[in-house]
């Protein structure tokens, strides 16, 4: 019954039922590594917490429910979740991904998995032609991130899924920026959806956690095996915090989107602003795709001020008082970042700039404060 609920109810009830021992409405934090057995192998479904933990299981069921999936897996971080997906591959396999990928994902691909004999291609996914051109007989996985970070390009998940299905290639989507409130990649045809739950899902900048969800039983068996065999699992406290965060995901996302829309409009009319990147603008090159696959345009945006360079962009982010200068995104508080020196510093400058991540670019994660205070802060910092 609970799987038939609307999204705004699934965040609270999806995959959840009161705990059996005392009826606790929230699952207790089962801070235990092991479980008593009555005879060898005689246990209540839990034998060791790397394999299963009741708090983590409650979270995994919630994650599956909100992503319209069947099988959910929680990991110690978003990158640990990605690491598990890449372990489905073998030396010689090839992966195609976006050319403005999250910096940490790019580092994981190129600095770790390339050494294990996996080849990565980074292409502009605005057109299926670019993806198609990079496919060969070794292509096993296409890794999509949309909207992209920090350029806010939107990739047509359904079109990529159709291409993948025709060539028997796995499609994984990093849904961190959108959250399932805005888009559900499995419904659009993806095989695996990944999250840095550190961001919108947990939503309060107090936990590092990652997740994978799939509908495919075969994939779920492999991912579950990797989760246990490699062991990058989150602890029960972090699982609890993430589950607690998910319960307000829909109300937070609604406000993130409303505030971001107002700030995007404010920046656009500001005489000192050169360009604002936000998929809600009609002139955004992927606006139509954003409108068709997302329910709103998200809480992230980037901008460049006129005549700005590395130093002047840094001065603006340092001048902000209510926005915190910090890595990360998706929390209740607004954050500002300078991708060239922060999140994207691990990507070589030439590669970075090809995709638009110039030295003058500033990225904002719009929080859920009163938008008037956020606009005043931007006003004084831009000057
Ligand atoms: C933060 C982030 C990651 C990595 O997640 P961690 O939880 O920091 O390991 C991956 N993808 C995107 C889009 C992110 O924003």
């Amino acid at each position: 019954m609970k799987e038939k609920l609307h999204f705004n109810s699934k965040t609270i009830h999806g995959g959840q039922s009161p705990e059996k021992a005392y009826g606790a409405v929230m699952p207790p934090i089962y801070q235990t590594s092991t479980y008593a057995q009555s005879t060898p192998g005689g246990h209540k479904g839990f034998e060791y917490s790397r394999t299963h933990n009741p708090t983590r299981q409650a979270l995994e069921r919630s994650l599956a429910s909100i992503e319209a999936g069947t099988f959910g897996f929680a990991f110690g971080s978003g990158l640990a979740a990605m690491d598990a997906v890449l372990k489905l591959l073998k030396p010689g396999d090839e992966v195609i991904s976006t050319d403005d990928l999250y910096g940490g994902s790019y580092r994981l691909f190129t600095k770790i998995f390339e050494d294990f004999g996996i080849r990565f291609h980074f292409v502009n996914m605005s057109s299926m032609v670019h993806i198609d051109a990079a496919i060969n007989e070794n292509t096993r996985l296409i890794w999509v991130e949309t909207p992209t970070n920090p350029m806010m390009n939107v990739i047509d998940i359904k079109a990529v899924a159709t291409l993948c299905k025709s060539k028997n290639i796995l499609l994984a989507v990093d849904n961190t920026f959108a959250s399932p409130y805005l888009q559900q990649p499995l419904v659009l045809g993806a095989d695996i959806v990944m999250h840095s739950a550190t961001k919108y899902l947990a939503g309060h900048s107090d936990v590092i956690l990652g997740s994978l969800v799939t509908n495919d039983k075969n994939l779920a068996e492999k991912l579950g095996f990797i989760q246990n065999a490699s062991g990058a699992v989150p602890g029960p406290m972090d699982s609890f915090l993430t589950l607690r965060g998910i319960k307000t995901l829909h109300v937070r996302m609604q406000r993130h989107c409303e505030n971001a829309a107002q700030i995007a409009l404010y920046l656009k009319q500001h005489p000192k602003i050169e360009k604002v990147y936000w998929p809600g603008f009609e002139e955004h090159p992927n606006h139509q795709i954003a409108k068709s696959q997302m329910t709103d345009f998200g809480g992230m945006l980037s901008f460049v001020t006129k005549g700005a360079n590395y130093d002047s962009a840094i001065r603006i982010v340092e001048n902000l008082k209510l926005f915190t200068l910090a890595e990360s995104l998706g929390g209740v508080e607004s954050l500002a970042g300078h991708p060239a020196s922060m999140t994207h510093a691990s990507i070589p400058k030439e590669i970075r700039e090809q995709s638009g991540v110039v030295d003058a670019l500033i990225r904002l994660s719009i929080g859920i404060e009163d938008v008037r205070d956020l606009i005043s802060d931007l006003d004084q910092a831009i000057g």
Side-chain angles (χ1 to χ4, degrees):
M1 174 273 178
K2 288 194 171 162
E3 296 325 298
K4 295 214 163 55
L5 294 172
H6 294 99
F7 183 82
N8 294 354
S9 306
K10 278 189 182 179
T11 53
I12 298 163
H13 299 289
Q16 307 303 304
S17 40
E19 168 263 357
K20 289 197 188 77
Y22 301 106
V25 168
M26 274 303 278
I29 300 163
Y30 283 95
Q31 194 74 46
T32 186
S33 62
T34 191
Y35 307 83
Q37 307 192 4
S38 52
T39 78
H43 55 76
K44 299 175 176 167
F46 297 91
E47 41 186 336
Y48 187 62
S49 280
R50 173 166 26 75
T51 321
H52 295 113
N53 173 282
T55 318
R56 192 178 96 213
Q57 188 180 74
L59 169 65
E60 289 175 330
R61 288 179 174 165
S62 166
L63 290 164
S65 168
I66 59 174
E67 277 294 0
T70 320
F71 309 98
F73 301 93
F75 293 85
S77 70
L79 285 172
M82 289 183 73
D83 179 271
V85 175
L86 291 163
K87 284 174 178 161
L88 294 167
L89 307 178
K90 295 200 166 47
D93 287 351
E94 298 194 9
V95 179
I96 301 169
S97 191
T98 56
D99 61 358
D100 60 343
L101 192 66
Y102 172 72
S105 308
Y106 180 82
R107 183 176 55 198
L108 177 69
F109 289 172
T110 57
K111 297 276 160 67
I112 306 277
F113 280 95
E114 255 175 21
D115 285 351
F116 287 85
I118 294 165
R119 248 191 104 198
F120 296 88
H121 304 266
F122 299 94
V123 306
N124 178 333
M125 291 196 172
S126 61
S127 155
M128 294 308 116
V129 176
H130 301 143
I131 305 180
D132 209 14
I135 293 177
N136 63 38
E137 70 276 10
N138 297 321
T139 310
R140 293 284 172 275
L141 172 70
I142 292 185
W143 187 276
V144 168
E145 189 186 308
T146 179
T148 64
N149 174 24
M151 298 315 298
M152 311 298 150
N153 295 314
V154 178
I155 296 160
D156 187 339
I157 299 174
K158 225 184 225 172
V160 184
T162 307
L163 184 61
C164 285
K165 291 229 157 48
S166 73
K167 310 222 168 179
N168 212 12
I169 298 168
L170 275 181
L171 173 60
V173 176
D174 181 339
N175 203 24
T176 301
F177 255 50
S179 92
Y181 174 83
L182 295 178
Q183 87 192 357
Q184 296 173 357
L186 297 182
V187 177
L188 299 167
D191 300 294
I192 299 170
V193 57
M194 170 260 163
H195 277 278
S196 169
T198 309
K199 317 293 168 53
Y200 285 111
L201 295 189
H204 295 74
S205 307
D206 53 8
V207 62
I208 299 283
L209 195 137
S211 69
L212 299 175
V213 178
T214 181
N215 273 318
D216 183 312
K217 191 157 187 286
N218 195 18
L219 269 179
E221 264 165 31
K222 289 182 183 161
L223 292 171
F225 180 84
I226 294 167
Q227 182 195 39
N228 181 50
S230 286
V233 293
M237 179 72 191
D238 287 352
S239 299
F240 174 89
L241 285 170
T242 305
L243 188 59
R244 177 192 231 262
I246 288 172
K247 287 175 191 278
T248 56
L249 176 66
H250 52 300
V251 281
R252 285 185 286 109
M253 285 313 297
Q254 185 181 349
R255 183 62 63 84
H256 283 297
C257 293
E258 286 166 11
N259 283 358
Q262 287 202 47
I263 289 171
L265 292 173
Y266 155 78
L267 288 172
K268 194 178 171 197
Q269 56 74 47
H270 195 294
K272 289 199 176 155
I273 300 295
E274 171 92 34
K275 178 118 179 98
V276 185
Y277 298 90
W278 178 66
F281 291 132
E282 260 174 48
E283 65 272 22
H284 183 287
N286 317 123
H287 179 68
Q288 287 310 323
I289 301 165
K291 252 175 92 171
S292 70
Q293 76 185 14
M294 299 166 73
T295 55
D296 205 335
F297 302 109
M300 298 297 300
L301 57 88
S302 299
F303 69 96
V304 174
T305 44
K306 284 187 182 141
N309 56 27
Y310 195 91
D311 293 332
S312 63
I314 287 187
R315 255 196 319 279
I316 293 175
V317 292
E318 284 177 350
N319 281 344
L320 287 163
K321 294 190 169 68
L322 188 55
F323 280 83
T324 304
L325 174 59
E327 308 242 358
S328 199
L329 61 111
V332 290
E333 64 288 296
S334 293
L335 303 180
H338 179 239
S341 64
M342 297 166 71
T343 44
H344 289 61
S346 56
I347 301 178
K349 187 174 158 83
E350 320 80 69
I351 299 183
R352 220 188 323 119
E353 297 206 329
Q354 273 167 26
S355 51
V357 187
V358 294
D359 285 349
L361 190 79
I362 292 171
R363 187 189 84 176
L364 301 178
S365 169
I366 306 300
I368 61 171
E369 299 94 337
D370 190 308
V371 72
R372 292 170 296 189
D373 297 326
L374 297 176
I375 289 175
S376 322
D377 194 29
L378 286 165
D379 221 42
Q380 64 79 24
I382 295 165

